[in-house]
Amino acid sequence: MPREPGDRHRVTLTGEGPVLVEGPVEVVLPDGGTVRSDRPVVALCACRRSRRYPFCDTSHRARVRPEHQEDHS
């Protein structure tokens, strides 16, 4: 369903994962390029580990954050 002018897009910060944005979206990259997604909700990578950056590929799940790693020395 198309949005009406003035409607707000919802952006959800998940804390441990991606930023969820109600779509469709056009993302402007640091180099000035753009990528688009027509999905109703788009997961944008916040950890920069994604191989599909700027979109999340759940790479954040595969690694333990440094503050949670055990010291094995």
Side-chain angles (χ1 to χ4, degrees), residues 23-62:
V25 298
E26 179 178 87
V27 179
V28 179
L29 303 171
D31 67 2
T34 59
V35 291
R36 295 181 181 195
S37 175
D38 292 324
R39 291 176 166 238
V41 177
V42 178
L44 297 177
C45 178
C47 71
R48 300 195 56 94
R49 295 180 188 141
S50 175
R51 291 186 182 137
R52 298 185 57 235
Y53 189 83
F55 301 110
C56 179
D57 67 359
T58 68
S59 291
H60 61 275
R61 294 180 186 169

